[in-house]
Amino acid sequence: MEIIEGIYLGQRSLLMGSICLLMLISAVILCFKPYEKIANRFLAAFLVVVVLNFSPVVIGFMGAYDKWPWLSFYPFKTELYFGPLLYLHAYALMSQKKIGYQWLFLLPGVVQTSYYISVVISYPNYLDRWKYGGDYHSPYVSHFETFAILFSLLIFLHACWKLIKRYNYFLLQTQSAAQRFKPVWLNRFLPAISLVACILGLFLIYVTIFGRNNYTSEFPSQVLMAMIVCWLGIEAVYRINSRFPKYYVIEPPREVGKNWHKEGEKLKLYVLDNELFLDAELNLKSLASHMATNESYLSKTINTAFDMNFNSFINSLRVDYAKKLLAQSDKAILEIGLEAGFNSKATFNRVFKQISGLTPSKYRNLD
């Protein structure tokens, strides 16, 4: 379908354009969310630079480069921002430390953008740009850029993996509602994008070495990558609805020669007597405050006495309480789950089955 003379809206441009539009909408929503503003804005920036990077695909299939050849070498390539912005999003979301030297991670992206701007300024005539591209960019700069992009993605995806792994462990040690704060959009995104990046990376290496490339040959992998990034943005919009606990190191307690099993029984009795486990927002810090002690001591007590992390310890008490309600009342499953301290029916069902081996409804039907 011809929009204006020489510009056509075809299936490819419509498909990629729709995906990019969804990413931009997600970016705008993230910028206005009241929680985790810094982390959200890094993710919004990531979505924007991805859209910018895929813009040549949209306008290229529309015929824009044929109609306006001066668009050549415009600074649409932004791949060196991808890894750093994704990492900064994860870091701002999970770490209690402020961003300092990490800002320098964006420097390669700035260099990449500056390079393309300098080419456009240096060669205002697009024919000169084409000549520069054939004489210098394609045989030299493009090769270096390809490997710099792959190296950057490898480094920062690995850094994100390490950060998320450490954070998930921290949640289990300190939060009774750990599942609520797990960055599942990143947990799901990283393996998917890593696989696509590997496929695209091999393709780019092949093109760089053998110089055989077709404008349409990259399209399937580009669409797949764009869809995965779009899914990341939409899921983050849905999931980030509260402030996330920030990672900190729990130092081991200084007490030596303690009878940790005896301490564990005292701790369990205190939590049961005061029904602290029924608080859906209970965490290690608030429990330590209740007991006028420190987090290190509680963490050591729970880990040693019960061979559990904090999350498993509290949830086991909640499941025991829920079992009594299931046996003694006709309340709805959701009502029992919420009363037992779980913050959703899905979490209640999952944890109950994990600990007891049965879903709440099946457990009730046994009686």
mmCIF file of all heavy atoms in Angstrom, residues 245-271:
data_model
loop_
_atom_site.group_PDB
_atom_site.id
_atom_site.type_symbol
_atom_site.label_atom_id
_atom_site.label_comp_id
_atom_site.label_asym_id
_atom_site.label_seq_id
_atom_site.Cartn_x
_atom_site.Cartn_y
_atom_site.Cartn_z
ATOM 1 N N PRO A 245 12.946 -4.920 47.257
ATOM 2 C CA PRO A 245 13.989 -4.907 48.281
ATOM 3 C C PRO A 245 15.372 -4.891 47.640
ATOM 4 O O PRO A 245 15.578 -5.514 46.601
ATOM 5 C CB PRO A 245 13.755 -6.222 49.057
ATOM 6 C CG PRO A 245 12.835 -7.034 48.224
ATOM 7 C CD PRO A 245 12.138 -6.145 47.280
ATOM 8 N N LYS A 246 16.307 -4.184 48.246
ATOM 9 C CA LYS A 246 17.644 -4.039 47.686
ATOM 10 C C LYS A 246 18.618 -5.018 48.339
ATOM 11 O O LYS A 246 18.595 -5.236 49.551
ATOM 12 C CB LYS A 246 18.154 -2.607 47.864
ATOM 13 C CG LYS A 246 17.211 -1.538 47.322
ATOM 14 C CD LYS A 246 16.880 -1.748 45.858
ATOM 15 C CE LYS A 246 15.885 -0.739 45.346
ATOM 16 N NZ LYS A 246 15.405 -1.036 43.994
ATOM 17 N N TYR A 247 19.473 -5.543 47.509
ATOM 18 C CA TYR A 247 20.443 -6.546 47.967
ATOM 19 C C TYR A 247 21.433 -5.945 48.960
ATOM 20 O O TYR A 247 21.925 -4.842 48.781
ATOM 21 C CB TYR A 247 21.202 -7.100 46.755
ATOM 22 C CG TYR A 247 22.371 -7.978 47.128
ATOM 23 C CD1 TYR A 247 22.181 -9.319 47.455
ATOM 24 C CD2 TYR A 247 23.656 -7.461 47.166
ATOM 25 C CE1 TYR A 247 23.254 -10.119 47.806
ATOM 26 C CE2 TYR A 247 24.738 -8.251 47.509
ATOM 27 C CZ TYR A 247 24.532 -9.581 47.831
ATOM 28 O OH TYR A 247 25.591 -10.378 48.180
ATOM 29 N N TYR A 248 21.706 -6.686 50.010
ATOM 30 C CA TYR A 248 22.772 -6.337 50.941
ATOM 31 C C TYR A 248 23.354 -7.635 51.498
ATOM 32 O O TYR A 248 22.716 -8.694 51.479
ATOM 33 C CB TYR A 248 22.271 -5.441 52.081
ATOM 34 C CG TYR A 248 21.147 -6.028 52.906
ATOM 35 C CD1 TYR A 248 21.409 -6.816 54.032
ATOM 36 C CD2 TYR A 248 19.818 -5.801 52.564
ATOM 37 C CE1 TYR A 248 20.371 -7.358 54.789
ATOM 38 C CE2 TYR A 248 18.780 -6.340 53.309
ATOM 39 C CZ TYR A 248 19.069 -7.112 54.420
ATOM 40 O OH TYR A 248 18.040 -7.651 55.154
ATOM 41 N N VAL A 249 24.563 -7.563 51.969
ATOM 42 C CA VAL A 249 25.264 -8.747 52.477
ATOM 43 C C VAL A 249 24.903 -8.961 53.932
ATOM 44 O O VAL A 249 24.965 -8.035 54.745
ATOM 45 C CB VAL A 249 26.792 -8.593 52.325
ATOM 46 C CG1 VAL A 249 27.510 -9.802 52.923
ATOM 47 C CG2 VAL A 249 27.169 -8.423 50.863
ATOM 48 N N ILE A 250 24.500 -10.183 54.261
ATOM 49 C CA ILE A 250 24.217 -10.545 55.655
ATOM 50 C C ILE A 250 25.482 -11.142 56.251
ATOM 51 O O ILE A 250 25.901 -12.248 55.882
ATOM 52 C CB ILE A 250 23.059 -11.553 55.739
ATOM 53 C CG1 ILE A 250 21.804 -10.978 55.065
ATOM 54 C CG2 ILE A 250 22.760 -11.931 57.192
ATOM 55 C CD1 ILE A 250 20.662 -11.958 54.988
ATOM 56 N N GLU A 251 26.109 -10.402 57.121
ATOM 57 C CA GLU A 251 27.357 -10.862 57.722
ATOM 58 C C GLU A 251 27.086 -12.018 58.686
ATOM 59 O O GLU A 251 26.066 -12.026 59.387
ATOM 60 C CB GLU A 251 28.044 -9.723 58.487
ATOM 61 C CG GLU A 251 28.427 -8.534 57.616
ATOM 62 C CD GLU A 251 29.537 -8.854 56.645
ATOM 63 O OE1 GLU A 251 30.226 -9.878 56.845
ATOM 64 O OE2 GLU A 251 29.707 -8.088 55.674
ATOM 65 N N PRO A 252 27.988 -13.015 58.746
ATOM 66 C CA PRO A 252 27.800 -14.124 59.697
ATOM 67 C C PRO A 252 27.886 -13.630 61.130
ATOM 68 O O PRO A 252 28.652 -12.706 61.433
ATOM 69 C CB PRO A 252 28.959 -15.069 59.361
ATOM 70 C CG PRO A 252 29.973 -14.224 58.674
ATOM 71 C CD PRO A 252 29.208 -13.166 57.939
ATOM 72 N N PRO A 253 27.088 -14.185 62.051
ATOM 73 C CA PRO A 253 27.105 -13.738 63.449
ATOM 74 C C PRO A 253 28.428 -14.094 64.125
ATOM 75 O O PRO A 253 29.118 -15.036 63.729
ATOM 76 C CB PRO A 253 25.939 -14.518 64.069
ATOM 77 C CG PRO A 253 25.784 -15.727 63.217
ATOM 78 C CD PRO A 253 26.158 -15.301 61.834
ATOM 79 N N ARG A 254 28.757 -13.329 65.168
ATOM 80 C CA ARG A 254 30.021 -13.554 65.870
ATOM 81 C C ARG A 254 29.909 -14.605 66.972
ATOM 82 O O ARG A 254 30.909 -15.070 67.491
ATOM 83 C CB ARG A 254 30.511 -12.229 66.472
ATOM 84 C CG ARG A 254 30.833 -11.173 65.416
ATOM 85 C CD ARG A 254 31.298 -9.878 66.051
ATOM 86 N NE ARG A 254 31.604 -8.872 65.035
ATOM 87 C CZ ARG A 254 32.001 -7.638 65.322
ATOM 88 N NH1 ARG A 254 32.111 -7.260 66.606
ATOM 89 N NH2 ARG A 254 32.272 -6.778 64.355
ATOM 90 N N GLU A 255 28.669 -14.950 67.326
ATOM 91 C CA GLU A 255 28.494 -15.921 68.406
ATOM 92 C C GLU A 255 29.090 -17.274 68.020
ATOM 93 O O GLU A 255 28.866 -17.764 66.926
ATOM 94 C CB GLU A 255 27.002 -16.112 68.737
ATOM 95 C CG GLU A 255 26.363 -14.909 69.385
ATOM 96 C CD GLU A 255 25.751 -13.972 68.356
ATOM 97 O OE1 GLU A 255 26.141 -14.090 67.178
ATOM 98 O OE2 GLU A 255 24.913 -13.140 68.727
ATOM 99 N N VAL A 256 29.863 -17.848 68.923
ATOM 100 C CA VAL A 256 30.425 -19.183 68.703
ATOM 101 C C VAL A 256 29.979 -20.089 69.849
ATOM 102 O O VAL A 256 29.707 -19.636 70.958
ATOM 103 C CB VAL A 256 31.972 -19.136 68.635
ATOM 104 C CG1 VAL A 256 32.426 -18.382 67.406
ATOM 105 C CG2 VAL A 256 32.558 -18.500 69.890
ATOM 106 N N GLY A 257 29.889 -21.376 69.567
ATOM 107 C CA GLY A 257 29.509 -22.334 70.595
ATOM 108 C C GLY A 257 28.038 -22.311 70.951
ATOM 109 O O GLY A 257 27.628 -22.857 71.983
ATOM 110 N N LYS A 258 27.209 -21.675 70.117
ATOM 111 C CA LYS A 258 25.779 -21.617 70.376
ATOM 112 C C LYS A 258 25.124 -22.954 70.058
ATOM 113 O O LYS A 258 25.549 -23.676 69.161
ATOM 114 C CB LYS A 258 25.128 -20.542 69.509
ATOM 115 C CG LYS A 258 25.296 -19.128 70.042
ATOM 116 C CD LYS A 258 24.177 -18.785 71.011
ATOM 117 C CE LYS A 258 24.224 -17.319 71.405
ATOM 118 N NZ LYS A 258 23.179 -17.001 72.396
ATOM 119 N N ASN A 259 24.077 -23.266 70.793
ATOM 120 C CA ASN A 259 23.244 -24.415 70.464
ATOM 121 C C ASN A 259 22.177 -23.919 69.497
ATOM 122 O O ASN A 259 21.104 -23.488 69.903
ATOM 123 C CB ASN A 259 22.616 -25.003 71.729
ATOM 124 C CG ASN A 259 21.848 -26.284 71.442
ATOM 125 O OD1 ASN A 259 21.403 -26.515 70.322
ATOM 126 N ND2 ASN A 259 21.696 -27.127 72.463
ATOM 127 N N TRP A 260 22.493 -23.970 68.201
ATOM 128 C CA TRP A 260 21.631 -23.362 67.199
ATOM 129 C C TRP A 260 20.280 -24.065 67.093
ATOM 130 O O TRP A 260 19.278 -23.426 66.782
ATOM 131 C CB TRP A 260 22.332 -23.340 65.846
ATOM 132 C CG TRP A 260 23.516 -22.423 65.831
ATOM 133 C CD1 TRP A 260 24.829 -22.778 65.807
ATOM 134 C CD2 TRP A 260 23.492 -20.981 65.891
ATOM 135 N NE1 TRP A 260 25.636 -21.672 65.829
ATOM 136 C CE2 TRP A 260 24.841 -20.551 65.883
ATOM 137 C CE3 TRP A 260 22.475 -20.027 65.947
ATOM 138 C CZ2 TRP A 260 25.193 -19.204 65.924
ATOM 139 C CZ3 TRP A 260 22.817 -18.680 65.991
ATOM 140 C CH2 TRP A 260 24.154 -18.289 65.981
ATOM 141 N N HIS A 261 20.250 -25.362 67.377
ATOM 142 C CA HIS A 261 18.971 -26.078 67.320
ATOM 143 C C HIS A 261 18.038 -25.616 68.443
ATOM 144 O O HIS A 261 16.831 -25.460 68.230
ATOM 145 C CB HIS A 261 19.206 -27.587 67.398
ATOM 146 C CG HIS A 261 19.882 -28.131 66.175
ATOM 147 N ND1 HIS A 261 19.215 -28.362 64.998
ATOM 148 C CD2 HIS A 261 21.177 -28.461 65.948
ATOM 149 C CE1 HIS A 261 20.056 -28.819 64.091
ATOM 150 N NE2 HIS A 261 21.259 -28.885 64.646
ATOM 151 N N LYS A 262 18.615 -25.362 69.585
ATOM 152 C CA LYS A 262 17.812 -24.840 70.703
ATOM 153 C C LYS A 262 17.346 -23.425 70.390
ATOM 154 O O LYS A 262 16.184 -23.064 70.670
ATOM 155 C CB LYS A 262 18.649 -24.848 71.984
ATOM 156 C CG LYS A 262 17.871 -24.426 73.221
ATOM 157 C CD LYS A 262 18.736 -24.537 74.465
ATOM 158 C CE LYS A 262 17.971 -24.091 75.703
ATOM 159 N NZ LYS A 262 18.820 -24.181 76.928
ATOM 160 N N GLU A 263 18.248 -22.627 69.809
ATOM 161 C CA GLU A 263 17.872 -21.271 69.416
ATOM 162 C C GLU A 263 16.770 -21.296 68.357
ATOM 163 O O GLU A 263 15.872 -20.442 68.338
ATOM 164 C CB GLU A 263 19.096 -20.514 68.884
ATOM 165 C CG GLU A 263 20.175 -20.256 69.904
ATOM 166 C CD GLU A 263 19.689 -19.409 71.060
ATOM 167 O OE1 GLU A 263 19.123 -18.340 70.804
ATOM 168 O OE2 GLU A 263 19.853 -19.824 72.226
ATOM 169 N N GLY A 264 16.851 -22.291 67.474
ATOM 170 C CA GLY A 264 15.842 -22.427 66.434
ATOM 171 C C GLY A 264 14.464 -22.712 67.000
ATOM 172 O O GLY A 264 13.463 -22.158 66.528
ATOM 173 N N GLU A 265 14.394 -23.565 67.991
ATOM 174 C CA GLU A 265 13.106 -23.885 68.613
ATOM 175 C C GLU A 265 12.521 -22.667 69.316
ATOM 176 O O GLU A 265 11.310 -22.438 69.277
ATOM 177 C CB GLU A 265 13.278 -25.044 69.599
ATOM 178 C CG GLU A 265 13.567 -26.384 68.937
ATOM 179 C CD GLU A 265 12.502 -26.755 67.906
ATOM 180 O OE1 GLU A 265 11.293 -26.565 68.190
ATOM 181 O OE2 GLU A 265 12.877 -27.204 66.804
ATOM 182 N N LYS A 266 13.377 -21.884 69.952
ATOM 183 C CA LYS A 266 12.914 -20.652 70.608
ATOM 184 C C LYS A 266 12.375 -19.666 69.575
ATOM 185 O O LYS A 266 11.333 -19.030 69.776
ATOM 186 C CB LYS A 266 14.068 -20.019 71.392
ATOM 187 C CG LYS A 266 14.442 -20.779 72.660
ATOM 188 C CD LYS A 266 15.789 -20.347 73.212
ATOM 189 C CE LYS A 266 15.822 -18.858 73.530
ATOM 190 N NZ LYS A 266 17.149 -18.467 74.107
ATOM 191 N N LEU A 267 13.087 -19.563 68.457
ATOM 192 C CA LEU A 267 12.659 -18.667 67.390
ATOM 193 C C LEU A 267 11.311 -19.112 66.820
ATOM 194 O O LEU A 267 10.396 -18.295 66.655
ATOM 195 C CB LEU A 267 13.718 -18.648 66.281
ATOM 196 C CG LEU A 267 13.315 -18.050 64.931
ATOM 197 C CD1 LEU A 267 12.969 -16.576 65.085
ATOM 198 C CD2 LEU A 267 14.426 -18.235 63.907
ATOM 199 N N LYS A 268 11.185 -20.399 66.545
ATOM 200 C CA LYS A 268 9.943 -20.925 65.974
ATOM 201 C C LYS A 268 8.773 -20.700 66.927
ATOM 202 O O LYS A 268 7.673 -20.301 66.499
ATOM 203 C CB LYS A 268 10.102 -22.415 65.670
ATOM 204 C CG LYS A 268 8.897 -23.041 64.995
ATOM 205 C CD LYS A 268 9.171 -24.489 64.636
ATOM 206 C CE LYS A 268 7.973 -25.129 63.938
ATOM 207 N NZ LYS A 268 8.258 -26.547 63.574
ATOM 208 N N LEU A 269 8.994 -20.937 68.200
ATOM 209 C CA LEU A 269 7.941 -20.747 69.196
ATOM 210 C C LEU A 269 7.506 -19.288 69.263
ATOM 211 O O LEU A 269 6.312 -18.991 69.356
ATOM 212 C CB LEU A 269 8.449 -21.210 70.569
ATOM 213 C CG LEU A 269 7.421 -21.212 71.709
ATOM 214 C CD1 LEU A 269 6.271 -22.174 71.385
ATOM 215 C CD2 LEU A 269 8.077 -21.584 73.029
ATOM 216 N N TYR A 270 8.471 -18.381 69.174
ATOM 217 C CA TYR A 270 8.152 -16.953 69.220
ATOM 218 C C TYR A 270 7.307 -16.548 68.000
ATOM 219 O O TYR A 270 6.307 -15.825 68.130
ATOM 220 C CB TYR A 270 9.445 -16.134 69.248
ATOM 221 C CG TYR A 270 9.213 -14.650 69.354
ATOM 222 C CD1 TYR A 270 9.102 -14.027 70.598
ATOM 223 C CD2 TYR A 270 9.105 -13.854 68.208
ATOM 224 C CE1 TYR A 270 8.879 -12.660 70.698
ATOM 225 C CE2 TYR A 270 8.875 -12.484 68.297
ATOM 226 C CZ TYR A 270 8.766 -11.893 69.542
ATOM 227 O OH TYR A 270 8.535 -10.542 69.643
ATOM 228 N N VAL A 271 7.707 -17.019 66.827
ATOM 229 C CA VAL A 271 6.983 -16.670 65.591
ATOM 230 C C VAL A 271 5.570 -17.233 65.632
ATOM 231 O O VAL A 271 4.603 -16.569 65.226
ATOM 232 C CB VAL A 271 7.751 -17.195 64.356
ATOM 233 C CG1 VAL A 271 6.923 -17.015 63.086
ATOM 234 C CG2 VAL A 271 9.085 -16.483 64.213
#
